[in-house]
Amino acid sequence: LDGGGLNRIMTVTGTVELVELQVTNGLSEEGGGLLVGTGAALGMYECTVSDCIATRAQSGGGAVRTATDSSFYAANCIFRDNTSTGPGGAIFFDIMMPGRSYALANCDLRDNHSDNDGGGIFALSRLNFVDSCILEGNTAIYRAGGLYLGEGDVYNSIFSGNSAVTG
């Protein structure tokens, strides 16, 4: 699915699974590629999200933004060359509510950029886990080129060549 650099590709409002989908050239104030709305759940499997842009400084998520009280899981996905004016060059996780989860497994996050915090991933509060992921070449203007994490677990993952101007 190609947004042509004109609009967001998809807003998820229920429970959705995406398999082997390519999302590219999305543009929105938040969640340039995909927005997971309040109360919604998104599972992504073997998907690629690339070249998407979020333009709002207060939120972000070039590729994906989750709203409060949503769930997100990605496995074997690629998030590449996404940009956000706000936090989360690739992914912005909002506050996780009880009974919800945010997790990534075997994902590749490369060459994403944030003009704020978290060039690869920005997790405002909690992230259940990042497992066996590669975060490489992500950049942020402020903090955490690869992963800005309030609380959560990271297992068997590789962080390489990520950079942030202030830490």
Side-chain angles (χ1 to χ4, degrees):
L1 300 173
D2 190 329
L6 301 174
N7 48 40
R8 177 185 304 126
I9 308 301
M10 184 182 299
T11 300
V12 176
T13 59
T15 300
V16 175
E17 287 190 358
L18 302 176
V19 180
E20 296 180 358
L21 185 68
Q22 292 188 5
V23 173
T24 189
N25 296 316
L27 174 68
S28 184
E29 289 185 344
E30 55 186 4
L34 304 158
L35 175 66
V36 184
T38 300
L42 174 61
M44 298 179 69
Y45 307 91
E46 299 180 10
C47 295
T48 299
V49 183
S50 64
D51 300 299
C52 293
I53 299 170
T55 60
R56 183 183 294 166
Q58 298 87 347
S59 55
V64 177
R65 185 194 191 287
T66 64
T68 300
D69 196 29
S70 63
S71 293
F72 177 85
Y73 177 75
N76 303 309
C77 292
I78 297 169
F79 300 92
R80 182 184 67 239
D81 297 317
N82 300 289
T83 303
S84 177
T85 302
I91 303 172
F92 178 107
F93 290 114
D94 207 328
I95 297 170
M96 187 176 70
M97 303 301 284
R100 297 297 187 160
S101 64
Y102 299 145
L104 293 100
N106 299 307
C107 290
D108 190 345
L109 293 95
R110 293 180 195 259
D111 303 319
N112 300 290
H113 174 77
S114 168
D115 286 346
N116 198 294
D117 297 325
I121 301 169
F122 177 87
L124 185 58
S125 64
R126 177 156 176 64
L127 176 63
N128 290 89
F129 64 83
V130 173
D131 187 12
S132 302
C133 292
I134 298 171
L135 286 89
E136 182 174 53
N138 300 293
T139 58
I141 296 298
Y142 296 115
R143 300 171 291 182
L147 170 64
Y148 181 101
L149 181 60
E151 180 183 350
D153 298 312
V154 179
Y155 307 103
N156 308 311
S157 295
I158 298 170
F159 292 79
S160 175
N162 300 296
S163 64
V165 175
T166 60

